[in-house]
Amino acid sequence: MTDPRVPWRRLRVSARRLGEQFTALVAHRDWDENALLMALGALIGVAAAAGVLVFYKLIDLAYHLFVVALGARVDTVAHAIARPVITVAGLTFAWLLVRRFALPDGQNVADVQLAVAKRGGRVPFRPVVVRTIAAAATLGSGGSAGSEGPVAVLGAATGSAVGSSSGFPPRRVKILTACGAAAGIAAAFNAPFAGAFFALEEVLGSFSAGAFSPVVIASAIAAVITQSVFGASPTVDVPATEITGLLPIVLVLPVFGVLCGAVSALYTRTFFRCDELAKGMRGPPWLVPVIGGITVGGLVVATGGLLVGSGHLALPADLFGNRAWYFLIAVAFAKILATSVTLGFGGSGGVFTPTLYIGAALGGGIGALMTVAWPESGVQASTFALVGMAGLVAGAVRAPLTAMFMVYELSHAYELVPPLMVVTVIAYVTAKRLAPYGLYDGWLIRRGERLAQGADRALLERRSVRDAVDRSAVVVEASGSLQAIVSAAARARLTTLPVVDDEGKLLGVIRYEELRTLLLDRGTLASLLVAADLAGPVESVTPSHSLRDALRHMNACAIDALPVVQDDASQRYLGMLSRTALLADYERELAHDV
């Protein structure tokens, strides 16, 4: 039997050779780096847009196969039973596909963040393609998930492949990976600015000048291509909105912002709770997608199909106040449960579009309630729906800038900008108070990853204490006399002397300031003192601590060196970490990244 991995290997070899030839050409021409990255960003924008088009066609094909073809053959009563069965089939197929290729957790936006922060921007392409197919089956069969996550990750994998095959250093690969993610988001929503800011805010975690131009170019080109095929808005069917009753809106904005933040926190907690329930289930593994499909399918039937839309069009116009207010609010909470179950119980897809959906339904419901309770206000329910979309994205995804740009580009209503700014900020602050993590950083935290935003902090987070520890630093025995301490201080390169006992356990440190004071003010007992008497308490770190943690300890204690111990329990001394060594390691790693 032919190994299915052989074509992928041949493709990688061919891509690597092509990349090497391209790199050699660039080196020979001595092109400007910024111009080169912008040209590659444009190429990635085209490729990402093509990937979005193919993915959307796959979703539509799956929808017609799973839903339309079967639905045309059954009556209304039978359809209520068939819909959950269809969703079970889709989720089971996605689950089996992921299981067949033994894909680890990941291939999502949070995984791309991790790749940029700790893996040099390298996103493996083959697992992403498999996960994308699984997402198409999930969405096409009525699963509640987003299409933007797969296309953003597919774009990021494309950018990563271009950078890696060209032999670029990690810094360039990261920028090209962000270009792909920006192009995916821009193509999905026809929102080039939102795509660019999403990549800079969420993927790179930095608004560096070197990354801005290629990311914007990739985002703009991808949006133009998909707009020419799908029209003004490929994913969100936003109705034309005229902003009226702005003063009444402003009066209730703070309360609405708090509500959006609270619902965002509920969404986040429900999402991870469903994941825990699925992993803790007893019985055969295939039971997980079956239960998930039945649950989601039942919710879809209960909402008359409004919960998932049709094909890749995920946000119908009914959410913008065209239904009863209590129905729309109920749909918002049903969407939270359906999305959490879909992605926790075997399905694949993103969380960004469902977050927009929840915000639109919640805001549409509140707006419809205001039109009933305060008809003379002149408020349109669609206005609250749009603002609610931004509030939920800011609170659940923790991306306030992306939220504002996204909704503004979808609505093209400048009058909406002040309400957007107020609600996103309040929702963001409220959500952080009620839930410590959002959907992306929460996924990482649950896997033991803590990412620092910004290039410097991310680099220090990636490096550990073991990379910079000085194991030859001068130490003083606990029984050492004052003369021995002075002799050790003369030989040491640091201004802090660690004191250890006979078993190598750290007892504390002696600082030069304390030693100098003792020498200047010698009393009758000075000659009787030993190192153990002078050792003062100090913070210590272990080899597994990041350099960022170590630097934070140094700054908090106002010291320039920390003792390194094997672990907190044994306190066995291993060496010293100085601020100088830490910064030297940082400079070396920074030069490597560049």
Side-chain angles (χ1 to χ4, degrees), residues 40-63:
L40 289 176
L43 177 64
I44 292 168
V46 173
V52 171
L53 297 178
V54 172
F55 179 57
Y56 280 176
K57 293 300 181 182
L58 283 176
I59 296 173
D60 293 339
L61 175 62
Y63 177 77

Side-chain angles (χ1 to χ4, degrees), residues 160-226:
S160 177
V162 170
S164 301
S165 62
S166 302
F168 287 156
R171 184 178 63 83
R172 286 185 178 179
V173 175
K174 293 176 183 179
I175 292 175
L176 296 178
T177 300
C179 286
I185 292 293
F189 297 102
N190 186 30
F193 273 114
F197 274 90
F198 177 84
L200 296 170
E201 183 179 25
E202 287 296 306
V203 177
L204 283 179
S206 164
F207 290 86
S208 64
F212 187 81
S213 297
V215 166
V216 168
I217 291 294
S219 183
I221 288 180
V224 168
I225 292 174
T226 52

Side-chain angles (χ1 to χ4, degrees), residues 102-192:
L103 298 186
D105 283 351
Q107 298 85 52
N108 53 22
V109 173
D111 196 40
V112 173
Q113 292 176 323
L114 182 63
V116 168
K118 295 191 175 182
R119 298 199 295 260
R122 284 170 171 77
V123 181
F125 196 80
R126 178 169 170 263
V128 169
V129 171
V130 175
R131 184 74 73 170
T132 302
I133 297 173
T138 300
L139 290 163
S141 63
S144 177
S147 59
E148 87 302 323
V151 297
V153 177
L154 185 62
T158 302
S160 177
V162 170
S164 301
S165 62
S166 302
F168 287 156
R171 184 178 63 83
R172 286 185 178 179
V173 175
K174 293 176 183 179
I175 292 175
L176 296 178
T177 300
C179 286
I185 292 293
F189 297 102
N190 186 30

